[in-house]
Amino acid sequence: EIVLTQSPGTLSLSPGERATLSCRASQSVSSSYLAWYQQKPGQAPRLLIYGASSRATGIPDRFSGSGSGTDFTLTISRLEPEDFAVYYCQQYGSSPRSAFGQGTRLEIK
Amino acid sequence: QVQLVQSGAEVKKPGASVKVSCKVSGYTLTELSMHWVRQAPGKGLEWMGGFDPEDGETIYAQKFQGRVTMTEDTSTDTAYMELSSLRSEDTAVYYCATDKLLAGAFDIWGQGTMVTVSS
């Protein structure tokens, strides 16, 4: 059973800085089925990246995804105030059919 | 565009069942792969199950096997998630979400339904 581990648990940065979030899988994940989500308090998650590196509709190009196999990264090139939220990675296809990482909280420093 | 509108908050006693609905608009349910995800207060996202188009069937997370049933009424484009034998640990916001991209990613989400299990 695949387990996704995100790091760090909390990331403290300032607006304008670059954020790098990690998602590591316990077994190889198909890049086609690795996604990233952003969630703000009281809201449903929002899809940012699918297929490891494809931006979802309407997502600014400061968000980018990369990686393959067991190591994946979400990068936010220059943080905007609205980017401070919780981020989750998710895999689909391997047992269990889908699973989320535990999340990384991106907070304002 | 696709919109998912869920039923309202529920309060249930331990041992009871809850059935949450998710109404689709902008598409027909048969065009979508519907999944359910829950989130306990202050916790992360947990996939419960959903329709797998490759297998052509609904697949449930092992944790919920035997306790969850996901159904669809194509005449009203409404999906349902029923969870039985509720316990306090089932207190959570339950989301329906769809994989319209067929990329294993949930691109459209309902607004969430809060289910509280309390005696």
Side-chain angles (χ1 to χ4, degrees):
Chain A
E1 180 170 305
I2 286 186
V3 175
L4 300 179
T5 302
Q6 294 185 237
S7 61
T10 301
L11 185 58
S12 300
L13 294 170
S14 301
E17 291 192 293
R18 181 185 186 90
T20 303
L21 286 67
S22 172
C23 176
R24 178 161 292 178
S26 58
Q27 304 170 41
S28 185
V29 172
S30 167
S31 297
S32 299
Y33 296 120
L34 192 289
W36 290 91
Y37 300 83
Q38 176 193 69
Q39 188 179 34
K40 297 180 180 179
Q43 297 183 16
R46 178 174 72 145
L47 176 66
L48 299 174
I49 300 289
Y50 65 95
S53 60
S54 297
R55 273 187 300 278
T57 302
I59 302 303
D61 60 8
R62 64 179 181 273
F63 291 91
S64 63
S66 63
S68 63
T70 60
D71 290 295
F72 297 88
T73 300
L74 174 70
T75 302
I76 310 171
S77 58
R78 280 181 60 87
L79 286 166
E80 298 286 344
E82 62 267 26
D83 297 337
F84 292 91
V86 180
Y87 292 83
Y88 296 94
C89 60
Q90 176 236 349
Q91 69 87 21
Y92 191 88
S94 300
S95 178
R97 191 56 59 94
S98 186
F100 291 89
Q102 84 281 14
T104 289
R105 180 177 304 276
L106 178 57
E107 64 177 27
I108 299 177
K109 188 173 182 179
Chain B
Q1 66 191 42
V2 182
Q3 280 193 306
L4 307 179
V5 178
Q6 298 184 224
S7 48
E10 303 262 13
V11 179
K12 296 292 183 181
K13 293 194 182 301
S17 296
V18 68
K19 192 169 186 177
V20 179
S21 69
C22 175
K23 168 76 173 171
V24 176
S25 63
Y27 268 66
T28 63
L29 195 48
T30 54
E31 296 175 286
L32 301 172
S33 172
M34 192 66 73
H35 292 256
W36 292 86
V37 175
R38 78 176 186 180
Q39 186 171 38
K43 302 297 184 182
L45 302 171
E46 183 174 33
W47 178 76
M48 300 180 69
F51 182 80
D52 188 298
E54 287 191 18
D55 290 350
E57 60 181 4
T58 298
I59 296 175
Y60 302 123
Q62 188 171 7
K63 175 178 180 176
F64 301 102
Q65 290 270 4
R67 263 205 324 139
V68 70
T69 305
M70 296 173 188
T71 56
E72 297 181 350
D73 182 344
T74 55
S75 68
T76 61
D77 288 319
T78 303
Y80 297 93
M81 186 283 301
E82 184 169 20
L83 188 63
S84 62
S85 302
L86 290 169
R87 33 209 188 231
S88 59
E89 310 89 88
D90 295 317
T91 293
V93 176
Y94 290 77
Y95 293 101
C96 58
T98 186
D99 176 15
K100 185 167 64 65
L101 296 168
L102 296 180
F106 306 138
D107 51 334
I108 307 294
W109 293 68
Q111 83 276 19
T113 296
M114 182 70 210
V115 175
T116 303
V117 183
S118 174
S119 55

